[in-house]
Amino acid sequence: MAAAIAITAPGLAAADAPRGPDVSSWQHVDGTGIDWFQVKASGHEFAMVKATESLNYVNPYFIQDCLVMRAAGVSRGAYHYADVRQSPEAQAAFYSAIVLGINGPGDLPPVLDLEDAKGLPAGQVIDWTHRYLNTVQALTGRQPIIYTYPNFWRTQMANTTEFNHYPLWIADYNGQNAPGPLPGGWSNWTFWQYTSTGRIPGITGNTDINVYSGAQGDFDRYANSVGFGSS
């Protein structure tokens, strides 16, 4: 799949654009580790790792993955899976405390994975999202990235345009060279998750694969922006 993405017109993913997986405990099949040195050697420059969910879940492989990623030279991102039924401020604090050690050079900004409204009305989820993002930015010093699906945003978020100043990580498995029309008034995407069935050396089984668009400028500079008041 990745090899087919080679068109370089505006808004499309260049063949040489930085790519990388996103992983959670599901990629540790039967407790197996991820060989991040193989991941790096196969040409993948970054990875997003699930850190936390709701108020009480920490990915049991998060720390070990982050340590080996640093040793392998893989830029690290960390995401929180939102539970919009629970306090956004408390979840932001929980996430920020867990990922504090990866808010340094080579690390990507914090990520909010927002894909389940838990049956709540759009207005309530929108308010939750504002409060979560504001708290994480205050705690980490970096503008968060929003991960979502087009259909979720258009239906469960009422296609609100209130967040289109945040970098967008969009999931769209369309088999094309770019995501489809973006939701929420976004004019560009920063990361695109283009498959959920990718195969990468060093990772057992299928994994999501993502590409960086360049929307935030040079990738290494973006990953090297340190939070807590600096930029």
Side-chain angles (χ1 to χ4, degrees):
M1 172 87 177
I5 299 178
I7 298 177
T8 57
L12 303 184
D16 60 351
R19 296 172 196 276
D22 61 274
V23 302
S24 66
S25 61
W26 291 106
Q27 277 67 48
H28 291 266
V29 179
D30 296 326
T32 59
I34 294 174
D35 187 334
W36 289 105
F37 290 90
Q38 283 195 49
V39 173
K40 176 71 171 182
S42 69
H44 294 85
E45 299 182 33
F46 68 88
M48 304 290 196
V49 183
K50 182 174 183 177
T52 52
E53 180 176 339
S54 192
L55 285 171
N56 53 18
Y57 176 82
V58 178
N59 173 8
Y61 301 99
F62 176 70
I63 298 299
Q64 76 176 55
D65 278 337
C66 286
L67 290 173
V68 184
M69 287 166 69
R70 170 59 64 86
V74 177
S75 293
R76 308 175 301 179
Y79 68 89
H80 175 75
Y81 189 94
D83 182 348
V84 297
R85 300 167 301 182
Q86 304 295 328
S87 163
E89 291 83 6
Q91 286 183 70
F94 175 52
Y95 165 84
S96 298
I98 295 298
V99 305
L100 183 62
I102 68 160
N103 192 23
D107 298 326
L108 291 161
V111 180
L112 172 63
D113 180 343
L114 186 61
E115 54 181 286
D116 188 351
K118 303 292 186 182
L120 298 179
Q124 191 169 334
V125 181
I126 289 168
D127 176 69
W128 185 99
T129 304
H130 277 299
R131 290 163 56 192
Y132 178 90
L133 294 172
N134 289 340
T135 305
V136 163
Q137 186 158 353
L139 291 172
T140 65
R142 302 187 77 180
Q143 183 183 44
I145 298 165
I146 295 174
Y147 169 92
T148 197
Y149 294 85
N151 186 61
F152 169 82
W153 201 269
R154 292 189 179 106
T155 60
Q156 305 304 302
M157 297 291 283
N159 210 29
T160 178
T161 60
E162 295 178 30
F163 301 95
N164 60 23
H165 58 290
Y166 287 93
L168 174 66
W169 175 12
I170 192 72
D172 187 355
Y173 315 142
N174 60 19
Q176 303 301 313
N177 291 301
L182 300 177
W186 270 286
S187 59
N188 56 48
W189 51 273
T190 295
F191 291 97
W192 171 30
Q193 184 185 91
Y194 58 84
T195 181
S196 61
T197 57
R199 301 303 292 264
I200 293 177
I203 299 178
T204 302
N206 292 339
T207 189
D208 304 329
I209 305 179
N210 309 272
V211 61
Y212 174 68
S213 71
Q216 307 302 319
D218 177 76
F219 178 79
D220 289 335
R221 187 174 297 114
Y222 188 45
N224 278 295
S225 297
V226 183
F228 299 105
S230 60
S231 60

